[in-house]
């Protein structure tokens, strides 16, 4: 499809990757300064998933799948197993996911093709999407993550990627962040693009060791938070 025929919600970012605009929240799904760059810097590298021998990733929320494709492509490149579990309560049309991915990393991977094939046709209630290809597996739960029965002591990495705390405050509250901390295995790492003071304080209050990092393009800082051995038990 020629570039000018793309749906108006698709945004091409300076690193050549794409994201989309979400009208409900009035925000882009990913960084408009570089969607793929943010996925790699903030999430993959922030959680050290890019060096992990068998990452188990928990993501909130799946959005248009930029973080997932970056993680999938990285696991495939390194030949490691991947178990990726995401939550998404408002699935974008499959066509938007497809257009965002076009020409990008992971877009040609058979697991991404399966995700698109199984993606819900309408944004009403759906059973989880779960599919795999060789040693790579993905599950997307189409529900409000606040109501979810989250795994415990499981994730090697948690991508906290809600919309901004001002527009999507419920996934950034101290109570919810404390629940998220309990999903990490010992040594597991949570990463987020936000460096807001209240997010930092919530992560610390949940017993995580919080570190500020240089942000991805367009952002001064981002955060990573480690569940260290000997930290608060849940
Ligand atoms: C910033 S976007 C995520 C972008 C995504 N990680 C990507 O790579 O394209 C935030 C996503 O979180 C989802 N979300 C927000 N609050 C949620 C909730 N309470 N439960 C489940 N999903 C939620 C939104 O619908 C949206 O798709």
């Amino acid at each position: 499809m020629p570039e000018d025929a793309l749906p108006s919600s698709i945004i091409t970012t300076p690193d050549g990757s794409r994201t989309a605009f979400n009208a409900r929240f009035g925000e882009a799904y990913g960084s408009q300064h570089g969607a793929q760059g943010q996925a790699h810097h903030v999430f993959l590298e922030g959680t050290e998933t890019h060096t992990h021998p068998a990452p188990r990733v928990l993501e909130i929320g799946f959005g248009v799948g930029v973080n997932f494709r970056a993680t999938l492509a990285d696991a495939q490149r390194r030949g490691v197993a991947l178990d990726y579990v995401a939550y998404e309560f408002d699935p974008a049309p499959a066509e938007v996911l497809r257009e965002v991915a076009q020409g990008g990393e992971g877009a040609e991977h058979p697991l991404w093709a399966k995700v698109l094939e199984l993606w819900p046709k309408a944004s009403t209630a759906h059973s989880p999407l779960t599919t795999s290809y060789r040693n790579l597996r993905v599950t997307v739960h189409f529900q409000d993550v606040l109501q979810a029965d989250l795994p415990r002591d499981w994730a090697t990495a948690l991508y906290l990627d809600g919309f901004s705390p001002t527009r999507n405050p419920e996934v950034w509250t101290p109570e919810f962040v404390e629940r998220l901390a309990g999903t990490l295995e010992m040594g597991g790492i949570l990463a987020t693009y936000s460096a807001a003071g209240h997010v930092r304080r919530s992560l610390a209050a949940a017993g995580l060791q919080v570190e500020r990092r240089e942000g991805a393009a367009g952002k001064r800082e981002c955060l990573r938070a480690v569940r260290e051995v000997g930290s608060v038990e849940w």
Side-chain angles (χ1 to χ4, degrees):
M1 197 188 289
E3 192 74 24
D4 57 6
L6 290 176
S8 58
S9 69
I10 308 293
I11 300 163
T12 300
T13 72
D15 64 14
S17 66
R18 298 174 182 186
T19 183
F21 186 77
N22 178 290
R24 177 170 165 187
F25 284 89
E27 247 175 45
Y29 283 93
S31 171
Q32 302 202 46
H33 299 279
Q36 180 176 314
Q38 175 182 265
H40 281 262
H41 177 77
V42 175
F43 296 106
L44 264 164
E45 292 160 29
T47 59
E48 296 173 19
T49 294
H50 67 312
T51 57
H52 198 285
R56 292 188 301 277
V57 179
L58 184 64
E59 178 177 48
I60 291 138
F62 189 85
V64 287
V66 172
N67 292 344
F68 170 65
R69 284 188 292 101
T71 309
L72 171 63
D74 177 74
Q76 185 199 24
R77 229 175 353 252
R78 297 190 298 119
V80 302
L82 171 68
D83 197 352
Y84 199 98
V85 174
Y87 285 83
E88 178 52 62
F89 71 171
D90 185 21
E95 204 42 47
V96 172
L97 272 70
R98 192 188 310 279
E99 297 287 1
V100 167
Q102 205 177 53
E105 59 182 350
E108 302 303 324
H109 196 282
L111 189 58
W112 178 247
K114 286 184 172 200
V115 168
L116 292 181
E117 188 188 313
L118 298 170
W119 195 255
K121 304 287 178 263
S123 74
T124 48
H126 293 282
S127 46
L129 177 168
T130 181
T131 185
S132 59
Y133 181 83
R134 297 189 178 144
N135 57 353
L136 308 164
R137 181 165 62 176
V138 59
T139 303
V140 185
H141 296 278
F142 298 104
Q143 69 174 115
D144 186 341
V145 68
L146 277 92
Q147 313 299 329
D149 197 9
L150 296 172
R152 288 177 66 85
D153 307 317
W154 178 80
T156 60
L158 195 152
Y159 299 172
L160 177 50
D161 194 17
F163 286 116
S164 65
T166 41
R167 293 186 194 236
N168 192 189
E170 63 274 19
V171 299
W172 306 92
T173 66
E175 296 72 27
F176 184 61
V177 166
E178 185 175 346
R179 284 186 62 209
L180 291 181
T183 70
L184 292 169
E185 69 165 17
M186 286 298 170
I189 306 173
L190 178 155
T192 184
Y193 65 87
S194 174
H198 68 94
V199 174
R200 229 164 47 227
R201 287 189 291 278
S202 293
L203 293 167
L208 303 177
Q209 196 62 46
V210 188
E211 295 165 30
R212 293 191 220 189
R213 300 172 60 226
E214 190 185 340
K219 277 257 186 190
R220 203 157 54 88
E221 290 181 330
C222 62
L223 299 176
R224 77 202 287 271
V226 185
R227 186 179 180 190
E228 291 190 337
V229 178
S231 64
V232 179
E233 291 297 323
W234 287 268

